[in-house]
Amino acid sequence: MLNIKSFFLKGTICFFALIFPSALEVFAKEYTIVLIPDTQNYTLNKKNIYHFKEQIKWIINNKENKNIVFVSHVGDVIASNLGYFPNNLHLIGFLCNKRNVDFLKNQSETWEKVRFISDLGNIEDLAFSISPGNHDYDCKNNKKTLKGFQNTINYKKYHKRKWFLGADETGINTAQIFEINKQEFIHIGLEWQPSNKAIKFAQKIINEHPKKPVILTTHEYLIVRDNPLPERCKNSAIGCSWTSSNDNNGEELFQKLIKNNPQIFMVFSGHNGSKERLIISKNSLDRKVIQIVSDFSGDPEGGNGWMTLITFNTDNSSIMINNFSPTYKEEISLGPNRSKQPGQKIIELNLTELKSFLSKNEVKNFRNGEIHGIKNYTDAKNSNIYQSILGKKIKSKIPIFKETILVGKFFGEHIGSLHFKNIIGTKHYQIPPNSKIEKAILTLTSNQISFSKNYEIGANGILKFYNKLKIYPIDKPLSKSKNISSIKNLKEKIVQDSINRFISSGISNTTQSFDVTSEFQKWADGAENSGWLFYVPQGFWNFKSSESTELLDRPMLTIVYKK
């Protein structure tokens, strides 16, 4: 009897789907995002590449019955230069050159082998993204050229698709839009170790769609905690690999983009086969950021066809994360069954609540050069308050102190000041007076110049300093004379009346955020906004000024407020 009822129900659904195609949406409760992990080892031989081809076929053939709404390849599409030269030394950094004809020819042939990945584009309404990994560049780990990837993954073909939102000037960093339960989502695919320009592109997309939830994909983001590389990343599951000055590792991406944008609720990555494939962090608003790594390239035959399926259940307000392979056969295939190890994971995720939060709150970022509609904000002012005129003259001539606000004791004492002017008012780019402030976050970037009595020698002999930063909201404008004199009185007031903020710094630029909600609420309610003073009682610190050459290094004030 149960079988007859089941047959009748399925027949009824099929009948309505044929007569009324939109009627099927009534029964749709689950929506699937497919993560294609690193596929580079599939390209090493014909036996391996079979798995890759079957992955693409399965996605295409199961789009409807699995309700697949988006596909993201996390990067390392091909094994660009593995196994051809000792240690690949001539292919790394400045040693990479275009004169190696045999290598370039081989790489071109490898890209031809995976051209079938473009079959995803044959389905008009299937949104997808392919983000380049370090193996996808013309020379491994060298971001100078990406011609092979660009010739194969040609996004220009999809510019007129409804789901394609756009690309940056390189054509590598892209944005897509798709729906879950008739709610629109944004996906942003970023290059390996995203450049500052890539982060600006992502922020532009978010600013243009402030009410839509956002998912990011970038190749290298999470790390293997029990065997981190480099070792200094051990305290965090988010990567901290060495990068060039204009590129960003996982931790820098989190601080510069993810942490202060509540729209971002999920991040996908590959690069590291990890026991911790799922990390849930909190952003500045104490909201979940679900971060997933998918990389099985170390399994037999290049990965045994394993993919990660993320299923959104709109009835249960949850997502299920599980691994699936169209080619793995229990007790026949070599290697672990990744659907059992570690098995499925269910996470609470209320998309309705997320949508409600974004619809009821406004998010605005203020920093010099940030554009709000037609207004290019330029009203952030900062300065150093020196102990003496001589100290001011000497330090103004030292190159490393240019574009930098000094804080603490360093051949004399220094107090920093920062004031975001004209941010409360009735214009479209301003915060309306008497707004309910959900969160106000001040973000500062420090360079390598710092020291403290409190320090530790970390992995590889790297020094890390810990300081107590005093941030003091000013209740009235400083007189011009304060720039030279009365530093003693200011220092005493700051130390007495402000709250400690604990900061850390090392040999690389560090971006850190501070909760300033309480003082900003007072300013929104009518108190005078004269900015902040900064002081470190024991040690020395600094932050980049509002005149810094790099926009992302400039101080930023993020305000989240009720409409």
Side-chain angles (χ1 to χ4, degrees), residues 165-176:
L165 276 185
D168 68 351
E169 59 187 14
T170 68
I172 300 168
N173 301 291
T174 61
Q176 299 80 23

Side-chain angles (χ1 to χ4, degrees), residues 155-180:
Y155 281 112
K156 290 181 180 179
K157 296 187 295 185
Y158 312 114
H159 279 196
K160 293 184 179 180
R161 299 280 176 93
K162 291 181 179 179
W163 53 263
F164 192 83
L165 276 185
D168 68 351
E169 59 187 14
T170 68
I172 300 168
N173 301 291
T174 61
Q176 299 80 23
I177 189 168
F178 63 95
E179 289 188 1
I180 293 177

Side-chain angles (χ1 to χ4, degrees), residues 33 35 178 180 185-188 213-218 221 258 261-269 278-281 283 287-293 309-312 318-321 347-349 351 354:
I33 292 178
L35 294 191
F178 63 95
I180 293 177
F185 288 73
I186 302 292
H187 174 272
I188 302 174
V214 175
I215 298 173
L216 293 183
T217 297
T218 187
Y221 181 72
I258 299 168
N261 281 296
Q263 296 91 340
I264 302 174
F265 74 101
M266 193 171 280
V267 183
F268 302 147
S269 63
L278 168 68
I279 301 294
I280 300 177
S281 301
N283 62 20
R287 299 183 66 84
K288 287 181 184 177
V289 182
I290 301 168
Q291 299 144 120
I292 301 168
V293 60
L309 306 184
I310 302 167
T311 304
F312 293 73
S318 65
I319 62 170
M320 182 177 70
I321 304 170
I347 304 169
E348 181 180 342
L349 179 65
L351 296 178
L354 177 60

Side-chain angles (χ1 to χ4, degrees), residues 41-42 45 47-49 51 296-306 325 327-328 332-338:
N41 289 342
Y42 292 140
N45 56 59
K47 182 179 180 181
N48 289 7
I49 208 165
H51 297 285
F296 308 108
S297 58
D299 281 9
E301 299 185 12
N304 272 337
W306 291 109
S325 170
T327 57
Y328 183 87
I332 297 177
S333 300
L334 298 176
N337 184 337
R338 295 294 186 178

Side-chain angles (χ1 to χ4, degrees), residues 188 190 197-209 256-258 260-261 263-264 363 365 367 370 551-552 556:
I188 302 174
L190 298 178
K197 286 185 177 180
I199 291 178
K200 291 173 194 173
F201 165 76
Q203 187 64 63
K204 177 176 177 289
I205 294 294
I206 293 170
N207 291 347
E208 290 172 352
H209 304 85
K256 292 183 179 181
L257 180 68
I258 299 168
N260 291 338
N261 281 296
Q263 296 91 340
I264 302 174
V363 182
N365 295 317
R367 67 178 156 201
E370 196 83 11
L551 183 142
L552 293 182
M556 181 174 73

